[in-house]
């Protein structure tokens, strides 16, 4: 079971309360909790791949940390990024590796 998400309300609650609610309660509350459909580990792998693919690196570190908690090991994240590099671009892979090294260590 995932811990209750509060990042939306913590970071945007006063500025964008509806977005914060959707982030915390719907995306991370309802969607991520559907572990009978996809495991949290699989959801992390998909989400990390989507973030790298779209070049949204500001969110990557948080999702790599979540993926690590969800059981993605360093060798797997390295292989994921290597595989993605051929589909989404070498520069995106380089950027992702820099962030992954920070989260997973050398």
């Amino acid at each position: 079971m995932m811990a209750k998400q509060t990042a939306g309300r913590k970071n945007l609650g006063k500025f964008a309360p509806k977005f914060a609610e959707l982030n915390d309660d719907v995306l991370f509350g309802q969607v991520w909790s559907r572990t009978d459909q996809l495991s949290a580990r699989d959801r992390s792998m998909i989400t990390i791949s989507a973030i790298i693919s779209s070049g949204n690196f500001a969110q990557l570190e948080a999702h790599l940390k979540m993926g690590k908690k969800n059981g993605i090991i360093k060798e797997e994240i390295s292989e994921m990024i290597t595989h993605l590099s051929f589909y989404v671009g070498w520069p995106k892979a380089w950027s992702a590796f820099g962030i992954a090294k920070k989260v997973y260590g050398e």
Side-chain angles (χ1 to χ4, degrees):
M1 173 128 197
M2 286 190 59
K4 176 145 176 62
Q5 178 64 260
T6 59
R9 286 184 176 88
K10 187 165 100 175
N11 294 306
L12 293 172
K14 290 181 182 178
F15 188 79
K18 187 60 177 180
F19 183 88
E21 174 192 341
L22 292 169
N23 182 81
D24 295 352
D25 300 342
V26 178
L27 175 59
F28 286 99
Q30 294 175 23
V31 176
W32 273 83
S33 67
R34 293 168 39 106
T35 55
D36 56 324
Q37 304 296 319
L38 280 175
S39 70
R41 182 181 182 280
D42 290 348
R43 288 183 192 277
S44 283
M45 292 179 99
I46 292 165
T47 302
I48 290 166
S49 296
I51 288 169
I52 293 169
S53 298
S54 60
N56 292 315
F57 297 108
Q59 289 78 36
L60 184 57
E61 183 175 346
H63 278 281
L64 285 170
K65 288 177 181 177
M66 188 183 305
K68 189 175 180 181
K69 286 181 186 173
N70 288 336
I72 301 172
I73 63 172
K74 182 169 67 171
E75 293 77 14
E76 290 172 319
I77 205 68
S78 176
E79 188 62 25
M80 283 173 58
I81 298 169
T82 299
H83 186 79
L84 282 169
S85 70
F86 289 93
Y87 292 92
V88 305
W90 212 255
K92 287 179 181 175
W94 270 103
S95 296
F97 272 125
I99 298 167
K101 281 177 59 178
K102 182 178 175 183
V103 172
Y104 282 86
E106 291 289 333

